[in-house]
């Protein structure tokens, strides 16, 4: 299969689907350029190989047609700064001007197309729109993992026009490699840490993990549905009563598959959902009425940390407490540190598919783990074992 490292880009016009969906302030300044910076290695690889680059992206969720606040013209100068060279701009992603600009593009030059989502045909995956985009280049690279779970024109449908000249960029390659390192080639002991608010949004991933891992650590709001399902008193903690049986089924499956499930022994609870609330520590199975579990306690931190630090492969999806509030961040911080320590001891560690990404960033540990995924929803679906259309379209 062709890939970005073995392909000859010399003289080619290379369409790259990037994720430049960056936040802008009221004056249209880029407030966080992480996503643009992340795509630089792929862009540079093509330019250094003698190709010309045509960048395509979406920005925000425009309704129909042009909306100034969603125009990619606002990010031209930030892109120029990060790539270190001028970037041309096509004020319409298809049509006469885009065709002329791409025809006149010379090797080593970069052209950015206007927001693809100014056309509803982008998200509907329209074939004619895809064909028009495809006509601008002769190679297609998908490097936008965050939209790989959507069969949009620029992420999926376009690929069929490049049967022999389509490939992943470095960002997607790393996401695929990281998931494969955990779910296909994981070295035991393999531990998944699954947290976040609700069981309902994590059922498929939990069921998938039961066939792949040795330990599952369950934290966050979802732990209380499990605790209640086993007969515990969880006070006014978040509980999804419709999912009590699901929780029991997952525990039974884990038992029959020899997967060790770790639930938090103790809980830091609050008398209201607020950082200013009164705080009390309880055993997770006997939380007093009107108190709600907000974070894992010290006993849980100890046993979770020990499990994590003895693992060789770790997947972390979702915080184990309401880490956005300073008084309830301890547990999630301890998990982040344990995952970083395990990485240092040689474990492969992947953080992705939930707010755990925000957590490792908050605790400034993102460069101390093996991989932090850039694609929230896409990563969750990928970990659930679903085929992502944007990935399948390149593999086909
Ligand atoms: P997710 O997007 O599934 O990773 O869920 C993340 C959210 O779960 C975060 O906003 C956390 O504040 C929330 N969360 C974590 N622990 C709890 C808890 N004990 N009770 C309520 N929400 C929680």
């Amino acid at each position: 299969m062709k890939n970005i490292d073995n392909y000859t880009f010399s003289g080619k016009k290379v369409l790259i689907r990037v994720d430049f969906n960056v936040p802008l302030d009221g004056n249209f300044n880029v407030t966080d350029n992480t996503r643009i910076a992340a795509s630089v290695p792929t862009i540079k690889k093509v330019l250094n190989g003698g190709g010309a680059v045509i960048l395509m992206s979406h920005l925000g969720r425009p309704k129909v047609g042009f909306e100034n606040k969603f125009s990619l013209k606002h990010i031209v100068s930030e892109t120029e700064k990060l790539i270190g060279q001028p970037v041309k701009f096509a004020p319409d992603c298809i049509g006469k001007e885009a065709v002329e600009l791409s025809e006149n593009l010379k090797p080593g030059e970069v052209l950015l197309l206007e927001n693809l989502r100014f056309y509803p045909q982008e998200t509907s995956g329209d074939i004619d729109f895809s064909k028009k985009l495809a006509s601008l280049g002769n190679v297609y690279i998908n490097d936008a993992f965050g939209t790989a779970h959507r069969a949009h024109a620029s992420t999926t449908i376009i690929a069929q026009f490049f049967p022999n000249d389509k490939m992943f960029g470095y960002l997607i390659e790393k996401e695929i490699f990281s998931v494969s390192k955990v779910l296909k080639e994981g070295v035991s002991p393999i531990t998944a840490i699954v947290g976040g608010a609700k069981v309902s949004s994590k059922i498929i991933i939990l069921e998938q993990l039961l066939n792949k891992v040795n330990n599952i650590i369950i934290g966050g709001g979802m732990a209380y549905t499990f605790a209640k399902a086993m007969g515990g008193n969880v006070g006014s903690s978040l509980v999804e009563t419709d999912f009590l049986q699901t929780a029991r089924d997952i525990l039974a499956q884990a038992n029959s598959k020899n997967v060790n499930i770790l639930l938090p022994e103790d809980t830091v609870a609050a008398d209201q959902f607020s950082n200013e609330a009164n705080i009390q520590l309880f055993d997770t199975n006997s939380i007093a009425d009107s108190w709600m579990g907000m974070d894992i306690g010290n006993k849980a931190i100890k046993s979770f940390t020990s499990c994590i630090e003895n693992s060789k492969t770790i997947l972390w999806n979702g915080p184990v407490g309401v880490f956005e509030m300073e008084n309830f961040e301890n547990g999630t911080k301890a998990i982040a540190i344990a995952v970083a320590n395990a990485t240092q001891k040689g474990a492969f560690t992947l953080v992705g598919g939930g707010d755990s990404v925000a957590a490792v960033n908050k605790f400034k540990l993102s460069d101390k783990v093996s991989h932090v995924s850039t694609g929230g929803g896409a990563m969750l679906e990928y970990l659930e074992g679903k085929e992502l259309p944007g990935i399948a379209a390149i593999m086909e």
Side-chain angles (χ1 to χ4, degrees):
M1 194 174 144
K2 296 207 176 84
N3 69 43
I4 185 164
D5 281 320
N6 67 22
Y7 193 88
T8 308
F9 291 108
S10 179
K12 297 281 168 83
K13 295 209 166 104
V14 185
L15 277 159
I16 311 181
R17 176 52 160 105
V18 287
D19 181 359
F20 282 1
N21 185 28
V22 292
L24 302 177
D25 67 16
N27 295 320
F28 307 116
N29 296 308
V30 177
T31 54
D32 180 351
N33 66 13
T34 312
R35 286 178 172 163
I36 306 175
S39 61
V40 170
T42 294
I43 295 169
K44 288 269 187 203
K45 173 71 187 168
V46 173
L47 294 174
N48 293 339
V53 166
I54 303 167
L55 299 169
M56 338 180 251
S57 180
H58 74 283
L59 176 65
R61 292 168 183 256
K63 290 192 187 74
V64 181
F66 178 84
E67 273 179 79
N68 187 45
K69 67 173 172 178
F70 294 125
S71 174
L72 282 170
K73 71 182 178 207
H74 303 306
I75 66 148
V76 169
S77 65
E78 192 68 25
T79 310
E80 289 179 328
K81 206 170 82 192
L82 288 165
I83 310 180
Q85 69 174 71
V87 170
K88 295 182 173 167
F89 182 68
D92 188 348
C93 65
I94 53 170
K96 199 162 161 265
E97 195 174 351
V99 170
E100 276 169 18
L101 282 162
S102 84
E103 275 173 357
N104 294 328
L105 205 63
K106 299 189 183 62
E109 290 185 339
V110 181
L111 170 67
L112 171 64
L113 304 180
E114 180 57 289
N115 193 345
L116 299 162
R117 290 198 189 163
F118 287 160
Y119 287 87
Q121 291 94 320
E122 161 64 1
T123 45
S124 68
D126 184 84
I127 186 106
D128 290 330
F129 177 73
S130 309
K131 199 170 176 182
K132 283 178 189 156
L133 286 174
S135 73
L136 302 175
N138 30 42
V139 183
Y140 170 66
I141 296 182
N142 188 357
D143 210 18
F145 184 69
T147 44
H149 59 321
R150 304 280 179 240
H152 294 171
S154 69
T155 64
T156 303
I157 313 302
I158 192 173
Q160 64 195 271
F161 297 105
F162 303 91
N164 300 310
D165 304 282
K166 56 182 181 177
M167 65 203 81
F168 298 118
Y170 288 122
L171 282 177
I172 292 205
E173 261 189 7
K174 187 150 190 243
E175 300 275 1
I176 296 174
F177 168 83
S178 300
V179 172
S180 168
K181 282 280 271 186
V182 175
L183 297 186
K184 294 205 182 109
E185 307 145 33
V187 180
S188 290
I190 311 174
T191 297
I193 308 148
V194 184
K198 294 180 173 176
V199 182
S200 51
S201 60
K202 303 285 164 94
I203 299 166
I204 306 173
I205 191 172
L206 283 170
E207 286 176 341
Q208 161 87 345
L209 291 170
L210 286 170
N211 298 316
K212 313 269 184 193
V213 306
N214 307 103
N215 310 300
I216 301 181
I217 293 175
I218 294 180
M222 57 192 282
Y224 303 101
T225 299
F226 279 89
K228 189 168 170 99
M230 293 189 303
N233 290 322
V234 297
S236 38
S237 303
L238 186 66
V239 169
E240 289 176 282
T241 39
D242 290 350
F243 289 89
L244 292 169
Q245 189 52 44
T246 308
R248 283 182 213 113
D249 292 345
I250 289 169
L251 293 170
Q253 281 185 58
N255 194 30
S256 69
K257 291 179 177 175
N258 268 328
V259 176
N260 183 25
I261 301 257
L262 285 82
L263 285 159
E265 245 179 291
D266 53 352
T267 282
V268 177
D271 58 356
Q272 52 174 313
F273 192 77
S274 152
N275 191 48
E276 279 68 50
N278 294 307
I279 293 175
Q280 202 171 314
L281 188 70
F282 292 97
D283 279 350
T284 301
N285 288 324
S286 45
I287 300 175
D289 290 351
S290 80
W291 289 84
M292 64 185 89
M294 299 287 274
D295 194 9
I296 59 173
N298 278 334
K299 285 186 202 158
I301 289 180
K302 214 168 155 202
S303 59
F304 288 4
T305 301
S306 144
C307 173
I308 292 166
E309 292 190 3
N310 286 307
S311 298
K312 290 264 183 296
T313 307
I314 296 161
L315 165 69
W316 183 16
N317 174 294
V320 296
V322 186
F323 75 101
E324 298 92 337
M325 297 180 193
E326 209 178 312
N327 286 333
F328 307 106
E329 67 171 27
N330 266 350
T332 303
K333 191 173 184 177
I335 297 297
I337 292 170
V339 173
N341 287 343
T343 317
Q344 205 184 11
K345 287 201 279 178
F348 182 84
T349 55
L350 164 61
V351 183
D355 258 1
S356 36
V357 172
V360 284
N361 288 334
K362 178 174 180 186
F363 304 126
K364 304 207 164 23
L365 290 166
S366 47
D367 58 348
K368 301 263 187 305
V369 300
S370 310
H371 183 61
V372 180
S373 175
T374 54
M379 181 48 94
L380 188 62
E381 288 193 21
Y382 204 33
L383 292 171
E384 286 173 347
K386 292 191 186 136
E387 182 178 74
L388 306 189
I391 291 182
I394 299 282
M395 302 280 216
E396 262 158 23

